[in-house]
Amino acid sequence: MTMNVLLTGGAGYIGSHTAIELLDMGHSVVIVDNFSNSKPEALNRIREITGKNFKFFEADVCDSAAMDKLFSENEIECVIHFAGLKAVGESCAIPVKYYRNNIDSTLTLLETMKKHGVNNFVFSSSATVYGDSDKMPLTEDMPTLTSGSPYGRTKLMIEQILTDACSADPELSVVLLRYFNPIGAHKSGRIGEDPSGIPNNLMPYISQVAVGKLPKLGIFGNDYPTPDGTCVRDYIHVVDLAKGHAKAIDYAASHKGAEAFNLGTGVGYSVLDIVNSFIKVNGIDLKYEFQPRRAGDIPECYSDPSKAERELGWKAERTIEDMCRDSWNWQKNNPNGLN
Ligand code: NAD
Ligand code: UD1
């Protein structure tokens, strides 16, 4: 069944890849973004890759008048809410802005959806809601957040808000997608992650070292209780993640209530695994040095993705080699990102 899907934050990294998958599958897509962390060129690239058109609204999702207008002018059947601020360190420096943006946008959407009789909602949550669990792999029924950042707390609070909204409204359907570590890019090399300033996350940092924009990678800690001493994460190809959203909108349309799903591969790779794989797959050198641990990092974090396979019919298919090759293909073809 094809649907008319609103993607908030659809010009961003995960939203743009999801737009491509949905358009390729024949869904109609409407995108709203305020370009606070993305560029209009992303929309051109989505059109170029898919050969398909979609409606775009430049607006802040917290603006209820703008959202009301958007829902009045379009027959939206499902909302995927990507829009949000996501930098962990920044969220500690400006927490109020993070709470305002991430929580207000969700509340505005819930109110607008209710007014317009739209009942299907998919939310971009994060593995960060599991906090610093020492049991791996992480399953959806494990306790959430004992520590973390304001960013992580917005994700957990939003999960709770959406769950409460479902308890009160038997018509509402919410899918909470807990992403692990998305990396990689569309195979065309025309779209990918385009962080502003110096990247915080591992793969964009590696790519910018490889392309010569940064001198060397600092590996944060080599004395963790892991096989090679560096932190272990569940990296997932952004295209696999995007395909998970296609399954989630089908699930939302055929279920009621709130349900959480891990979107990961279930395999943990260390920082050194990623570095070595990037060097090998792409045949290039990469300078790195070991540095002290980064505050807030946990030694290991990886998913049990079996619930998503069982109930959504989704499984990640792309390998760590695919992720390293596609990240580099994007970066080398777009050394200055989307301009
Ligand atoms: P991104 O910053 O590339 O995309 C988010 C988009 O939302 C941007 O285009 C930004 O301009 C837009 N936006 C932000 N606030 C807005 C607002 N109030 N109104 C309209 N547009 C707004 O981030 P991403 O990596 O694509 O992440 C998408 C979602 O997934 C976010 O909610 C993020 O917290 C979540 N998430 C991301 C990761 C990750 O590693 N990338 C991991 C877990 C969860
Ligand atoms: C981080 C966030 C998490 C968020 C996710 C996606 C923290 C503590 N966690 O996850 O909440 O959901 O991003 O945005 O910030 N590393 C280096 N050198 C670098 C960069 C990273 O060694 O220059 C290491 C880190 O120590 C970590 C791994 O690489 O072990 C992955 O880091 P990163 O990509 O930032 O993701 P997370 O920290 O897992």
Side-chain angles (χ1 to χ4, degrees), residues 14 80-83 121-126 151 155 175-179 245:
I14 302 169
I80 311 182
H81 185 29
F82 297 101
F121 194 105
V122 176
F123 177 59
S124 296
S125 190
S126 166
Y151 163 74
K155 293 295 175 195
V175 181
L176 307 168
L177 296 179
R178 295 176 176 165
Y179 309 157
H245 293 74

Side-chain angles (χ1 to χ4, degrees), residues 220-232:
F220 302 143
N222 61 347
D223 57 352
Y224 283 100
T226 59
D228 64 23
T230 64
C231 291
V232 168

